[in-house]
Amino acid sequence: MFWNREIETIAGDDLEALQLSRLKWTVRQVQNVEFYRRAFQKAGVSPGDIQTLDDLEKLPFTTKKDLREGYPFGFFAVPKREVVRIHTTSGTTGKPTVVGYTRQDLDTWTELMARNLTMVGLTEDDVFQNILGYGLFTGGLGFHYGAERVGMTVIPSSTGNTKRQIEMIQDFGVTAINSTPGYGLHLVEVAEQMGASLETLRIATFGAEPWSESMRAELERRLGVDAYDSYGMSEMYGPGVAFECEEKDGLHIWHDCYLAEIIDPATGERLPDGETGELVITPLVKEAMPLIRYRTGDITRFLTDDCPCGRGKRIARLSGRADDMLVIRGINVFPSQIEHTLLSLPEVGDQYMVYVDRINHLDEMTIEVEINRSYFSGELADLQRLQKKVSGAIRETLNLRTTVKFVEPGTLPRFEGKAKRVVDRRGAIW
């Protein structure tokens, strides 16, 4: 078996040779998929043309739209009898993306997750409560099998029933939790209302939605943990594509299993390290559903400095998605910018909602945010002062005028799965 949890020992020419070998294998494997046979022919490229890693740019992109049009099994590169599991995306905007796994795929995915979890300091001595949904969503089972591979005691609590989640943390001596960051905030909020101690916790991993450094600081302070960012997507097995190390400064991609590029979302041209663009990934070891240059839609950049941990090239934390960027009066706005600004202000609570409307042919943004009672006297003048401060901070960040409304604590929606904090009433919900 070629999986090596200490893959960081492979570097330089040895790593590039391994990547090229696996890229050539992947290019041959996708010839079992009609979409790629046609796409290669249209691009005027054949498997034999791939002789160096730079030849990757000759190959066509793959998009989520392509995968949806191949529903359900059009992107499987092996006979269906070799597919031992199927996962899908949510399909909230149309047909879901169907992902298949061979037995080797599942073992690969499990080992990748084990690498990630050990990288943040988790061991067989930890008790791991997995607060992600189990089922067609890849997150729950991906973390579950990775944690078991490490040897941890795994509690598959799934989502919901927050008070019971807190009781399990206390009763079972849980040392590590995994959830979405939004649910992490909800968990600690309920724990505080219950007067419950979560003192056994030491590590938390969060993913499935963008979150800011301000939210990390809030989660770490209130949960009493080290919080780490996780990145993945169903099309790449699920979680496990990239993970923070204990430095908490960028996410390490497992370069023996994935080739990553950053491109200009508009032109498709590859961007140099340090420039922000769309992440494109080519998995190198997927058997059932290999992909070529998959456009993730996620916005990030390659960091140009070396990580002290020695694990090689890494990406910055995601700033959003190319398709969830809002254009308000000609200004590009990512929801993560709003979150970072709000959570840096002690006067506001953890929960917020953003509404975008078109009024008299102009785009208008309204932000509803729960007030932090400890910073509010109840006087109207005090409220007006807070609104002015928050509006000013948002304007300084976005260069955009917004309307800020404070609401009572506990009145805004809480989310067990991916948070949907932006309602674009011009036509979309994020």
Side-chain angles (χ1 to χ4, degrees), residues 206 211-221 225-229 244-245 248-250 317 339 343:
F206 297 110
W211 53 302
S212 65
E213 284 296 325
S214 296
M215 183 178 281
R216 188 211 297 271
E218 186 80 358
L219 287 162
E220 291 190 331
R221 179 181 64 83
V225 298
D226 281 313
Y228 297 97
D229 196 12
E244 287 183 322
C245 68
K248 302 179 189 176
D249 183 21
R317 298 182 70 200
E339 177 187 283
L343 292 183

mmCIF file with all atom_site columns, all heavy atoms in Angstrom, residues 206 211-221 225-229 244-245 248-250 317 339 343:
data_model
loop_
_atom_site.group_PDB
_atom_site.id
_atom_site.type_symbol
_atom_site.label_atom_id
_atom_site.label_alt_id
_atom_site.label_comp_id
_atom_site.label_asym_id
_atom_site.label_entity_id
_atom_site.label_seq_id
_atom_site.pdbx_PDB_ins_code
_atom_site.Cartn_x
_atom_site.Cartn_y
_atom_site.Cartn_z
_atom_site.occupancy
_atom_site.B_iso_or_equiv
_atom_site.pdbx_formal_charge
_atom_site.auth_seq_id
_atom_site.auth_comp_id
_atom_site.auth_asym_id
_atom_site.auth_atom_id
_atom_site.pdbx_PDB_model_num
ATOM 1   N N   . PHE A 1 206 ? -13.175 22.290 12.315 1.00 0.00 ? 206 PHE A N   1
ATOM 2   C CA  . PHE A 1 206 ? -14.362 22.893 11.720 1.00 0.00 ? 206 PHE A CA  1
ATOM 3   C C   . PHE A 1 206 ? -14.186 22.985 10.212 1.00 0.00 ? 206 PHE A C   1
ATOM 4   O O   . PHE A 1 206 ? -13.077 23.207 9.709  1.00 0.00 ? 206 PHE A O   1
ATOM 5   C CB  . PHE A 1 206 ? -14.597 24.298 12.281 1.00 0.00 ? 206 PHE A CB  1
ATOM 6   C CG  . PHE A 1 206 ? -14.873 24.339 13.757 1.00 0.00 ? 206 PHE A CG  1
ATOM 7   C CD1 . PHE A 1 206 ? -13.934 24.865 14.634 1.00 0.00 ? 206 PHE A CD1 1
ATOM 8   C CD2 . PHE A 1 206 ? -16.060 23.853 14.265 1.00 0.00 ? 206 PHE A CD2 1
ATOM 9   C CE1 . PHE A 1 206 ? -14.177 24.917 15.997 1.00 0.00 ? 206 PHE A CE1 1
ATOM 10  C CE2 . PHE A 1 206 ? -16.314 23.889 15.633 1.00 0.00 ? 206 PHE A CE2 1
ATOM 11  C CZ  . PHE A 1 206 ? -15.382 24.423 16.501 1.00 0.00 ? 206 PHE A CZ  1
ATOM 12  N N   . TRP A 1 211 ? -15.107 30.379 7.312  1.00 0.00 ? 211 TRP A N   1
ATOM 13  C CA  . TRP A 1 211 ? -15.181 31.053 8.612  1.00 0.00 ? 211 TRP A CA  1
ATOM 14  C C   . TRP A 1 211 ? -13.928 31.886 8.784  1.00 0.00 ? 211 TRP A C   1
ATOM 15  O O   . TRP A 1 211 ? -12.889 31.601 8.218  1.00 0.00 ? 211 TRP A O   1
ATOM 16  C CB  . TRP A 1 211 ? -15.388 30.053 9.747  1.00 0.00 ? 211 TRP A CB  1
ATOM 17  C CG  . TRP A 1 211 ? -14.420 28.904 9.829  1.00 0.00 ? 211 TRP A CG  1
ATOM 18  C CD1 . TRP A 1 211 ? -14.164 27.961 8.866  1.00 0.00 ? 211 TRP A CD1 1
ATOM 19  C CD2 . TRP A 1 211 ? -13.588 28.559 10.936 1.00 0.00 ? 211 TRP A CD2 1
ATOM 20  N NE1 . TRP A 1 211 ? -13.236 27.059 9.308  1.00 0.00 ? 211 TRP A NE1 1
ATOM 21  C CE2 . TRP A 1 211 ? -12.861 27.394 10.580 1.00 0.00 ? 211 TRP A CE2 1
ATOM 22  C CE3 . TRP A 1 211 ? -13.376 29.104 12.209 1.00 0.00 ? 211 TRP A CE3 1
ATOM 23  C CZ2 . TRP A 1 211 ? -11.943 26.786 11.421 1.00 0.00 ? 211 TRP A CZ2 1
ATOM 24  C CZ3 . TRP A 1 211 ? -12.475 28.489 13.058 1.00 0.00 ? 211 TRP A CZ3 1
ATOM 25  C CH2 . TRP A 1 211 ? -11.771 27.352 12.671 1.00 0.00 ? 211 TRP A CH2 1
ATOM 26  N N   . SER A 1 212 ? -14.056 32.926 9.578  1.00 0.00 ? 212 SER A N   1
ATOM 27  C CA  . SER A 1 212 ? -13.009 33.929 9.662  1.00 0.00 ? 212 SER A CA  1
ATOM 28  C C   . SER A 1 212 ? -12.079 33.679 10.845 1.00 0.00 ? 212 SER A C   1
ATOM 29  O O   . SER A 1 212 ? -12.366 32.882 11.736 1.00 0.00 ? 212 SER A O   1
ATOM 30  C CB  . SER A 1 212 ? -13.646 35.314 9.810  1.00 0.00 ? 212 SER A CB  1
ATOM 31  O OG  . SER A 1 212 ? -14.353 35.396 11.043 1.00 0.00 ? 212 SER A OG  1
ATOM 32  N N   . GLU A 1 213 ? -10.973 34.428 10.866 1.00 0.00 ? 213 GLU A N   1
ATOM 33  C CA  . GLU A 1 213 ? -10.075 34.384 12.012 1.00 0.00 ? 213 GLU A CA  1
ATOM 34  C C   . GLU A 1 213 ? -10.764 34.912 13.266 1.00 0.00 ? 213 GLU A C   1
ATOM 35  O O   . GLU A 1 213 ? -10.490 34.457 14.376 1.00 0.00 ? 213 GLU A O   1
ATOM 36  C CB  . GLU A 1 213 ? -8.803  35.191 11.728 1.00 0.00 ? 213 GLU A CB  1
ATOM 37  C CG  . GLU A 1 213 ? -7.824  34.502 10.807 1.00 0.00 ? 213 GLU A CG  1
ATOM 38  C CD  . GLU A 1 213 ? -7.266  33.218 11.402 1.00 0.00 ? 213 GLU A CD  1
ATOM 39  O OE1 . GLU A 1 213 ? -7.069  33.144 12.630 1.00 0.00 ? 213 GLU A OE1 1
ATOM 40  O OE2 . GLU A 1 213 ? -7.038  32.264 10.644 1.00 0.00 ? 213 GLU A OE2 1
ATOM 41  N N   . SER A 1 214 ? -11.663 35.871 13.092 1.00 0.00 ? 214 SER A N   1
ATOM 42  C CA  . SER A 1 214 ? -12.414 36.370 14.246 1.00 0.00 ? 214 SER A CA  1
ATOM 43  C C   . SER A 1 214 ? -13.281 35.275 14.843 1.00 0.00 ? 214 SER A C   1
ATOM 44  O O   . SER A 1 214 ? -13.381 35.143 16.068 1.00 0.00 ? 214 SER A O   1
ATOM 45  C CB  . SER A 1 214 ? -13.283 37.561 13.829 1.00 0.00 ? 214 SER A CB  1
ATOM 46  O OG  . SER A 1 214 ? -12.493 38.645 13.404 1.00 0.00 ? 214 SER A OG  1
ATOM 47  N N   . MET A 1 215 ? -13.913 34.471 13.985 1.00 0.00 ? 215 MET A N   1
ATOM 48  C CA  . MET A 1 215 ? -14.728 33.378 14.500 1.00 0.00 ? 215 MET A CA  1
ATOM 49  C C   . MET A 1 215 ? -13.844 32.332 15.167 1.00 0.00 ? 215 MET A C   1
ATOM 50  O O   . MET A 1 215 ? -14.214 31.756 16.194 1.00 0.00 ? 215 MET A O   1
ATOM 51  C CB  . MET A 1 215 ? -15.567 32.738 13.393 1.00 0.00 ? 215 MET A CB  1
ATOM 52  C CG  . MET A 1 215 ? -16.479 31.632 13.909 1.00 0.00 ? 215 MET A CG  1
ATOM 53  S SD  . MET A 1 215 ? -17.544 30.869 12.661 1.00 0.00 ? 215 MET A SD  1
ATOM 54  C CE  . MET A 1 215 ? -18.845 32.089 12.538 1.00 0.00 ? 215 MET A CE  1
ATOM 55  N N   . ARG A 1 216 ? -12.649 32.069 14.620 1.00 0.00 ? 216 ARG A N   1
ATOM 56  C CA  . ARG A 1 216 ? -11.743 31.129 15.259 1.00 0.00 ? 216 ARG A CA  1
ATOM 57  C C   . ARG A 1 216 ? -11.431 31.591 16.691 1.00 0.00 ? 216 ARG A C   1
ATOM 58  O O   . ARG A 1 216 ? -11.493 30.810 17.632 1.00 0.00 ? 216 ARG A O   1
ATOM 59  C CB  . ARG A 1 216 ? -10.437 30.999 14.478 1.00 0.00 ? 216 ARG A CB  1
ATOM 60  C CG  . ARG A 1 216 ? -9.552  29.855 15.033 1.00 0.00 ? 216 ARG A CG  1
ATOM 61  C CD  . ARG A 1 216 ? -8.070  30.145 14.847 1.00 0.00 ? 216 ARG A CD  1
ATOM 62  N NE  . ARG A 1 216 ? -7.659  30.240 13.470 1.00 0.00 ? 216 ARG A NE  1
ATOM 63  C CZ  . ARG A 1 216 ? -7.251  29.238 12.709 1.00 0.00 ? 216 ARG A CZ  1
ATOM 64  N NH1 . ARG A 1 216 ? -7.231  28.009 13.180 1.00 0.00 ? 216 ARG A NH1 1
ATOM 65  N NH2 . ARG A 1 216 ? -6.863  29.459 11.474 1.00 0.00 ? 216 ARG A NH2 1
ATOM 66  N N   . ALA A 1 217 ? -11.079 32.880 16.825 1.00 0.00 ? 217 ALA A N   1
ATOM 67  C CA  . ALA A 1 217 ? -10.740 33.412 18.146 1.00 0.00 ? 217 ALA A CA  1
ATOM 68  C C   . ALA A 1 217 ? -11.918 33.271 19.108 1.00 0.00 ? 217 ALA A C   1
ATOM 69  O O   . ALA A 1 217 ? -11.738 32.928 20.289 1.00 0.00 ? 217 ALA A O   1
ATOM 70  C CB  . ALA A 1 217 ? -10.318 34.873 18.021 1.00 0.00 ? 217 ALA A CB  1
ATOM 71  N N   . GLU A 1 218 ? -13.122 33.513 18.607 1.00 0.00 ? 218 GLU A N   1
ATOM 72  C CA  . GLU A 1 218 ? -14.318 33.396 19.446 1.00 0.00 ? 218 GLU A CA  1
ATOM 73  C C   . GLU A 1 218 ? -14.549 31.950 19.883 1.00 0.00 ? 218 GLU A C   1
ATOM 74  O O   . GLU A 1 218 ? -14.827 31.668 21.050 1.00 0.00 ? 218 GLU A O   1
ATOM 75  C CB  . GLU A 1 218 ? -15.524 33.926 18.665 1.00 0.00 ? 218 GLU A CB  1
ATOM 76  C CG  . GLU A 1 218 ? -16.812 34.002 19.442 1.00 0.00 ? 218 GLU A CG  1
ATOM 77  C CD  . GLU A 1 218 ? -16.885 35.220 20.339 1.00 0.00 ? 218 GLU A CD  1
ATOM 78  O OE1 . GLU A 1 218 ? -15.923 36.012 20.391 1.00 0.00 ? 218 GLU A OE1 1
ATOM 79  O OE2 . GLU A 1 218 ? -17.923 35.372 21.005 1.00 0.00 ? 218 GLU A OE2 1
ATOM 80  N N   . LEU A 1 219 ? -14.425 31.021 18.953 1.00 0.00 ? 219 LEU A N   1
ATOM 81  C CA  . LEU A 1 219 ? -14.624 29.610 19.273 1.00 0.00 ? 219 LEU A CA  1
ATOM 82  C C   . LEU A 1 219 ? -13.565 29.103 20.245 1.00 0.00 ? 219 LEU A C   1
ATOM 83  O O   . LEU A 1 219 ? -13.870 28.369 21.189 1.00 0.00 ? 219 LEU A O   1
ATOM 84  C CB  . LEU A 1 219 ? -14.604 28.781 17.986 1.00 0.00 ? 219 LEU A CB  1
ATOM 85  C CG  . LEU A 1 219 ? -15.841 28.895 17.086 1.00 0.00 ? 219 LEU A CG  1
ATOM 86  C CD1 . LEU A 1 219 ? -15.535 28.394 15.682 1.00 0.00 ? 219 LEU A CD1 1
ATOM 87  C CD2 . LEU A 1 219 ? -17.021 28.125 17.682 1.00 0.00 ? 219 LEU A CD2 1
ATOM 88  N N   . GLU A 1 220 ? -12.330 29.499 20.025 1.00 0.00 ? 220 GLU A N   1
ATOM 89  C CA  . GLU A 1 220 ? -11.266 29.035 20.913 1.00 0.00 ? 220 GLU A CA  1
ATOM 90  C C   . GLU A 1 220 ? -11.441 29.588 22.326 1.00 0.00 ? 220 GLU A C   1
ATOM 91  O O   . GLU A 1 220 ? -11.238 28.873 23.315 1.00 0.00 ? 220 GLU A O   1
ATOM 92  C CB  . GLU A 1 220 ? -9.898  29.444 20.343 1.00 0.00 ? 220 GLU A CB  1
ATOM 93  C CG  . GLU A 1 220 ? -9.527  28.697 19.081 1.00 0.00 ? 220 GLU A CG  1
ATOM 94  C CD  . GLU A 1 220 ? -8.093  28.906 18.646 1.00 0.00 ? 220 GLU A CD  1
ATOM 95  O OE1 . GLU A 1 220 ? -7.533  29.986 18.946 1.00 0.00 ? 220 GLU A OE1 1
ATOM 96  O OE2 . GLU A 1 220 ? -7.525  28.000 18.006 1.00 0.00 ? 220 GLU A OE2 1
ATOM 97  N N   . ARG A 1 221 ? -11.819 30.845 22.414 1.00 0.00 ? 221 ARG A N   1
ATOM 98  C CA  . ARG A 1 221 ? -11.985 31.458 23.729 1.00 0.00 ? 221 ARG A CA  1
ATOM 99  C C   . ARG A 1 221 ? -13.133 30.820 24.503 1.00 0.00 ? 221 ARG A C   1
ATOM 100 O O   . ARG A 1 221 ? -13.004 30.482 25.675 1.00 0.00 ? 221 ARG A O   1
ATOM 101 C CB  . ARG A 1 221 ? -12.235 32.967 23.571 1.00 0.00 ? 221 ARG A CB  1
ATOM 102 C CG  . ARG A 1 221 ? -12.442 33.706 24.893 1.00 0.00 ? 221 ARG A CG  1
ATOM 103 C CD  . ARG A 1 221 ? -12.701 35.184 24.654 1.00 0.00 ? 221 ARG A CD  1
ATOM 104 N NE  . ARG A 1 221 ? -13.932 35.419 23.933 1.00 0.00 ? 221 ARG A NE  1
ATOM 105 C CZ  . ARG A 1 221 ? -15.137 35.474 24.508 1.00 0.00 ? 221 ARG A CZ  1
ATOM 106 N NH1 . ARG A 1 221 ? -15.270 35.268 25.815 1.00 0.00 ? 221 ARG A NH1 1
ATOM 107 N NH2 . ARG A 1 221 ? -16.214 35.715 23.777 1.00 0.00 ? 221 ARG A NH2 1
ATOM 108 N N   . VAL A 1 225 ? -10.534 25.538 23.320 1.00 0.00 ? 225 VAL A N   1
ATOM 109 C CA  . VAL A 1 225 ? -9.908  24.551 22.439 1.00 0.00 ? 225 VAL A CA  1
ATOM 110 C C   . VAL A 1 225 ? -8.910  25.227 21.511 1.00 0.00 ? 225 VAL A C   1
ATOM 111 O O   . VAL A 1 225 ? -8.881  26.453 21.383 1.00 0.00 ? 225 VAL A O   1
ATOM 112 C CB  . VAL A 1 225 ? -10.961 23.828 21.565 1.00 0.00 ? 225 VAL A CB  1
ATOM 113 C CG1 . VAL A 1 225 ? -11.949 23.057 22.417 1.00 0.00 ? 225 VAL A CG1 1
ATOM 114 C CG2 . VAL A 1 225 ? -11.684 24.824 20.648 1.00 0.00 ? 225 VAL A CG2 1
ATOM 115 N N   . ASP A 1 226 ? -8.100  24.421 20.849 1.00 0.00 ? 226 ASP A N   1
ATOM 116 C CA  . ASP A 1 226 ? -7.412  24.837 19.635 1.00 0.00 ? 226 ASP A CA  1
ATOM 117 C C   . ASP A 1 226 ? -8.322  24.459 18.474 1.00 0.00 ? 226 ASP A C   1
ATOM 118 O O   . ASP A 1 226 ? -8.723  23.289 18.340 1.00 0.00 ? 226 ASP A O   1
ATOM 119 C CB  . ASP A 1 226 ? -6.064  24.125 19.502 1.00 0.00 ? 226 ASP A CB  1
ATOM 120 C CG  . ASP A 1 226 ? -4.990  24.757 20.373 1.00 0.00 ? 226 ASP A CG  1
ATOM 121 O OD1 . ASP A 1 226 ? -4.870  25.992 20.349 1.00 0.00 ? 226 ASP A OD1 1
ATOM 122 O OD2 . ASP A 1 226 ? -4.298  24.009 21.080 1.00 0.00 ? 226 ASP A OD2 1
ATOM 123 N N   . ALA A 1 227 ? -8.651  25.442 17.621 1.00 0.00 ? 227 ALA A N   1
ATOM 124 C CA  . ALA A 1 227 ? -9.590  25.214 16.522 1.00 0.00 ? 227 ALA A CA  1
ATOM 125 C C   . ALA A 1 227 ? -8.845  25.198 15.199 1.00 0.00 ? 227 ALA A C   1
ATOM 126 O O   . ALA A 1 227 ? -8.038  26.097 14.916 1.00 0.00 ? 227 ALA A O   1
ATOM 127 C CB  . ALA A 1 227 ? -10.665 26.293 16.513 1.00 0.00 ? 227 ALA A CB  1
ATOM 128 N N   . TYR A 1 228 ? -9.132  24.176 14.366 1.00 0.00 ? 228 TYR A N   1
ATOM 129 C CA  . TYR A 1 228 ? -8.427  23.983 13.101 1.00 0.00 ? 228 TYR A CA  1
ATOM 130 C C   . TYR A 1 228 ? -9.405  23.937 11.934 1.00 0.00 ? 228 TYR A C   1
ATOM 131 O O   . TYR A 1 228 ? -10.518 23.408 12.055 1.00 0.00 ? 228 TYR A O   1
ATOM 132 C CB  . TYR A 1 228 ? -7.605  22.695 13.141 1.00 0.00 ? 228 TYR A CB  1
ATOM 133 C CG  . TYR A 1 228 ? -6.511  22.713 14.175 1.00 0.00 ? 228 TYR A CG  1
ATOM 134 C CD1 . TYR A 1 228 ? -6.696  22.135 15.421 1.00 0.00 ? 228 TYR A CD1 1
ATOM 135 C CD2 . TYR A 1 228 ? -5.288  23.334 13.905 1.00 0.00 ? 228 TYR A CD2 1
ATOM 136 C CE1 . TYR A 1 228 ? -5.691  22.160 16.381 1.00 0.00 ? 228 TYR A CE1 1
ATOM 137 C CE2 . TYR A 1 228 ? -4.279  23.368 14.853 1.00 0.00 ? 228 TYR A CE2 1
ATOM 138 C CZ  . TYR A 1 228 ? -4.486  22.779 16.088 1.00 0.00 ? 228 TYR A CZ  1
ATOM 139 O OH  . TYR A 1 228 ? -3.491  22.812 17.038 1.00 0.00 ? 228 TYR A OH  1
ATOM 140 N N   . ASP A 1 229 ? -8.948  24.457 10.819 1.00 0.00 ? 229 ASP A N   1
ATOM 141 C CA  . ASP A 1 229 ? -9.767  24.526 9.615  1.00 0.00 ? 229 ASP A CA  1
ATOM 142 C C   . ASP A 1 229 ? -9.571  23.276 8.768  1.00 0.00 ? 229 ASP A C   1
ATOM 143 O O   . ASP A 1 229 ? -8.454  22.776 8.614  1.00 0.00 ? 229 ASP A O   1
ATOM 144 C CB  . ASP A 1 229 ? -9.375  25.768 8.805  1.00 0.00 ? 229 ASP A CB  1
ATOM 145 C CG  . ASP A 1 229 ? -10.404 26.135 7.747  1.00 0.00 ? 229 ASP A CG  1
ATOM 146 O OD1 . ASP A 1 229 ? -11.511 25.577 7.776  1.00 0.00 ? 229 ASP A OD1 1
ATOM 147 O OD2 . ASP A 1 229 ? -10.099 26.993 6.899  1.00 0.00 ? 229 ASP A OD2 1
ATOM 148 N N   . GLU A 1 244 ? -5.364  22.417 8.215  1.00 0.00 ? 244 GLU A N   1
ATOM 149 C CA  . GLU A 1 244 ? -4.344  23.184 8.912  1.00 0.00 ? 244 GLU A CA  1
ATOM 150 C C   . GLU A 1 244 ? -3.472  22.267 9.757  1.00 0.00 ? 244 GLU A C   1
ATOM 151 O O   . GLU A 1 244 ? -3.921  21.234 10.241 1.00 0.00 ? 244 GLU A O   1
ATOM 152 C CB  . GLU A 1 244 ? -4.992  24.228 9.835  1.00 0.00 ? 244 GLU A CB  1
ATOM 153 C CG  . GLU A 1 244 ? -5.590  25.399 9.099  1.00 0.00 ? 244 GLU A CG  1
ATOM 154 C CD  . GLU A 1 244 ? -6.146  26.439 10.043 1.00 0.00 ? 244 GLU A CD  1
ATOM 155 O OE1 . GLU A 1 244 ? -6.732  26.066 11.079 1.00 0.00 ? 244 GLU A OE1 1
ATOM 156 O OE2 . GLU A 1 244 ? -6.016  27.629 9.742  1.00 0.00 ? 244 GLU A OE2 1
ATOM 157 N N   . CYS A 1 245 ? -2.229  22.702 9.943  1.00 0.00 ? 245 CYS A N   1
ATOM 158 C CA  . CYS A 1 245 ? -1.357  22.053 10.920 1.00 0.00 ? 245 CYS A CA  1
ATOM 159 C C   . CYS A 1 245 ? -1.419  22.862 12.212 1.00 0.00 ? 245 CYS A C   1
ATOM 160 O O   . CYS A 1 245 ? -2.214  23.807 12.327 1.00 0.00 ? 245 CYS A O   1
ATOM 161 C CB  . CYS A 1 245 ? 0.076   21.959 10.398 1.00 0.00 ? 245 CYS A CB  1
ATOM 162 S SG  . CYS A 1 245 ? 0.906   23.564 10.236 1.00 0.00 ? 245 CYS A SG  1
ATOM 163 N N   . LYS A 1 248 ? -1.584  26.787 12.332 1.00 0.00 ? 248 LYS A N   1
ATOM 164 C CA  . LYS A 1 248 ? -2.829  27.523 12.042 1.00 0.00 ? 248 LYS A CA  1
ATOM 165 C C   . LYS A 1 248 ? -2.584  28.673 11.067 1.00 0.00 ? 248 LYS A C   1
ATOM 166 O O   . LYS A 1 248 ? -3.128  29.767 11.224 1.00 0.00 ? 248 LYS A O   1
ATOM 167 C CB  . LYS A 1 248 ? -3.461  28.071 13.327 1.00 0.00 ? 248 LYS A CB  1
ATOM 168 C CG  . LYS A 1 248 ? -3.784  27.031 14.384 1.00 0.00 ? 248 LYS A CG  1
ATOM 169 C CD  . LYS A 1 248 ? -4.379  27.696 15.612 1.00 0.00 ? 248 LYS A CD  1
ATOM 170 C CE  . LYS A 1 248 ? -4.520  26.723 16.760 1.00 0.00 ? 248 LYS A CE  1
ATOM 171 N NZ  . LYS A 1 248 ? -5.005  27.384 17.998 1.00 0.00 ? 248 LYS A NZ  1
ATOM 172 N N   . ASP A 1 249 ? -1.782  28.430 10.064 1.00 0.00 ? 249 ASP A N   1
ATOM 173 C CA  . ASP A 1 249 ? -1.433  29.472 9.112  1.00 0.00 ? 249 ASP A CA  1
ATOM 174 C C   . ASP A 1 249 ? -1.448  28.885 7.705  1.00 0.00 ? 249 ASP A C   1
ATOM 175 O O   . ASP A 1 249 ? -0.412  28.631 7.101  1.00 0.00 ? 249 ASP A O   1
ATOM 176 C CB  . ASP A 1 249 ? -0.057  30.057 9.443  1.00 0.00 ? 249 ASP A CB  1
ATOM 177 C CG  . ASP A 1 249 ? 0.326   31.214 8.522  1.00 0.00 ? 249 ASP A CG  1
ATOM 178 O OD1 . ASP A 1 249 ? -0.584  31.816 7.914  1.00 0.00 ? 249 ASP A OD1 1
ATOM 179 O OD2 . ASP A 1 249 ? 1.532   31.514 8.408  1.00 0.00 ? 249 ASP A OD2 1
ATOM 180 N N   . GLY A 1 250 ? -2.633  28.653 7.182  1.00 0.00 ? 250 GLY A N   1
ATOM 181 C CA  . GLY A 1 250 ? -2.773  28.051 5.866  1.00 0.00 ? 250 GLY A CA  1
ATOM 182 C C   . GLY A 1 250 ? -3.056  26.564 5.953  1.00 0.00 ? 250 GLY A C   1
ATOM 183 O O   . GLY A 1 250 ? -2.767  25.915 6.961  1.00 0.00 ? 250 GLY A O   1
ATOM 184 N N   . ARG A 1 317 ? -6.560  30.252 3.917  1.00 0.00 ? 317 ARG A N   1
ATOM 185 C CA  . ARG A 1 317 ? -7.942  29.890 4.230  1.00 0.00 ? 317 ARG A CA  1
ATOM 186 C C   . ARG A 1 317 ? -8.867  30.482 3.181  1.00 0.00 ? 317 ARG A C   1
ATOM 187 O O   . ARG A 1 317 ? -8.635  31.570 2.655  1.00 0.00 ? 317 ARG A O   1
ATOM 188 C CB  . ARG A 1 317 ? -8.325  30.404 5.619  1.00 0.00 ? 317 ARG A CB  1
ATOM 189 C CG  . ARG A 1 317 ? -7.465  29.788 6.714  1.00 0.00 ? 317 ARG A CG  1
ATOM 190 C CD  . ARG A 1 317 ? -7.880  30.266 8.081  1.00 0.00 ? 317 ARG A CD  1
ATOM 191 N NE  . ARG A 1 317 ? -9.179  29.711 8.445  1.00 0.00 ? 317 ARG A NE  1
ATOM 192 C CZ  . ARG A 1 317 ? -9.964  30.225 9.389  1.00 0.00 ? 317 ARG A CZ  1
ATOM 193 N NH1 . ARG A 1 317 ? -9.596  31.311 10.026 1.00 0.00 ? 317 ARG A NH1 1
ATOM 194 N NH2 . ARG A 1 317 ? -11.096 29.643 9.690  1.00 0.00 ? 317 ARG A NH2 1
ATOM 195 N N   . GLU A 1 339 ? -18.570 38.723 8.027  1.00 0.00 ? 339 GLU A N   1
ATOM 196 C CA  . GLU A 1 339 ? -18.421 37.963 9.273  1.00 0.00 ? 339 GLU A CA  1
ATOM 197 C C   . GLU A 1 339 ? -17.193 38.398 10.049 1.00 0.00 ? 339 GLU A C   1
ATOM 198 O O   . GLU A 1 339 ? -17.242 38.604 11.263 1.00 0.00 ? 339 GLU A O   1
ATOM 199 C CB  . GLU A 1 339 ? -18.333 36.467 8.971  1.00 0.00 ? 339 GLU A CB  1
ATOM 200 C CG  . GLU A 1 339 ? -18.093 35.617 10.210 1.00 0.00 ? 339 GLU A CG  1
ATOM 201 C CD  . GLU A 1 339 ? -17.853 34.175 9.868  1.00 0.00 ? 339 GLU A CD  1
ATOM 202 O OE1 . GLU A 1 339 ? -18.834 33.483 9.571  1.00 0.00 ? 339 GLU A OE1 1
ATOM 203 O OE2 . GLU A 1 339 ? -16.676 33.754 9.884  1.00 0.00 ? 339 GLU A OE2 1
ATOM 204 N N   . LEU A 1 343 ? -17.572 39.920 13.885 1.00 0.00 ? 343 LEU A N   1
ATOM 205 C CA  . LEU A 1 343 ? -17.070 39.179 15.031 1.00 0.00 ? 343 LEU A CA  1
ATOM 206 C C   . LEU A 1 343 ? -15.865 39.846 15.685 1.00 0.00 ? 343 LEU A C   1
ATOM 207 O O   . LEU A 1 343 ? -15.452 39.442 16.771 1.00 0.00 ? 343 LEU A O   1
ATOM 208 C CB  . LEU A 1 343 ? -16.718 37.749 14.619 1.00 0.00 ? 343 LEU A CB  1
ATOM 209 C CG  . LEU A 1 343 ? -17.911 36.865 14.244 1.00 0.00 ? 343 LEU A CG  1
ATOM 210 C CD1 . LEU A 1 343 ? -17.449 35.454 13.922 1.00 0.00 ? 343 LEU A CD1 1
ATOM 211 C CD2 . LEU A 1 343 ? -18.945 36.823 15.348 1.00 0.00 ? 343 LEU A CD2 1
#
